[in-house]
Amino acid sequence: MIYQEVLLVAKVLCVDDEKNVRNLMRKVLEDEGYEVVAVSSGEEAQELLNRERFNILTLDLKLPGISGIDLLKKLQEEGMEVPAIVISAIATPEAIVEAMKNGAVDFLSKPFSPEELLEKIKGVLEMEKMTFSKMERIAKSLMEKGKYDESEKIVRKMFSLVPSSPIPHYLYSLILSSRGNKDLALKHLKAALTLDGNYYPAREELKKYEEKN
């Protein structure tokens, strides 16, 4: 199961050209324990997304310069897998369909209440949790069948999805061990335990390693 902490420490990028909306989202989300970065343009958002990892993106459609839809298209073209919630006063069926077609996972119309914003954010993060858990199961299943290369592709996606989880480090250590790369496998086991010293699978694997060496 994915870590519950992801809901508490999730990093949110809010993109809106209205200062009062940015301030509202920052206050509401920070009061709930989220880490928030708020910017006013698609260009700023794209630059940040190229440098940093975010768990979720909230995005207005009408922005100065690059529009919200164009930013979604660019993220898809560049393979950036960050779940996006479009938050806009343009809430026509056509606008919603276009946003979803270009990669948005949800839509919230303006004006919105703090409760509505939190419900959308938590809903998307819960969806990401289920995705992560499914990826973990598939990666383990592939390893059991000896398909380590295929498993590695999934584990790499897990790293970007939840950087704060020890699970990808643990799984990657198993993949590396299967290839005889014991030193790097050990580093990933230790990385998993740095993130959570009580993560049982990594502790047991490290114990086996120490007994053999």
Side-chain angles (χ1 to χ4, degrees), residues 55-145:
N55 297 97
I56 195 164
L57 167 70
T58 69
L59 179 66
D60 194 5
L61 289 180
K62 289 185 70 176
L63 294 168
I66 182 174
S67 71
I69 291 294
D70 286 339
L71 178 58
L72 287 173
K73 289 178 180 178
K74 283 183 177 291
L75 296 181
Q76 282 193 317
E77 289 168 5
E78 295 174 12
M80 292 188 187
E81 298 180 358
V82 55
I85 300 174
V86 168
I87 301 178
S88 178
I90 307 172
T92 64
E94 293 79 11
I96 294 171
V97 168
E98 187 178 13
M100 297 298 188
K101 190 191 301 181
N102 285 287
V105 296
D106 210 338
F107 196 102
L108 178 61
S109 60
K110 293 179 180 177
F112 56 86
S113 68
E115 292 76 18
E116 287 173 323
L117 175 63
L118 289 171
E119 183 180 351
K120 292 290 185 182
I121 293 286
K122 289 177 180 177
V124 170
L125 288 173
E126 285 290 345
M127 181 175 66
E128 291 300 304
K129 283 174 62 177
M130 289 188 285
T131 301
F132 188 95
S133 297
K134 185 176 180 180
M135 291 168 77
E136 179 186 359
R137 290 195 300 272
I138 293 171
K140 286 179 177 177
S141 175
L142 287 169
M143 278 191 268
E144 288 169 2
K145 297 172 183 175

Side-chain angles (χ1 to χ4, degrees), residues 17 27 40 65 93 103 105 113 139 149 154 160 169 183 207 211:
D17 62 337
K27 183 179 188 314
S40 60
V105 296
S113 68
D149 289 347
I154 294 171
S160 61
H169 285 285
D183 290 342
K207 185 178 177 182
E211 287 173 353

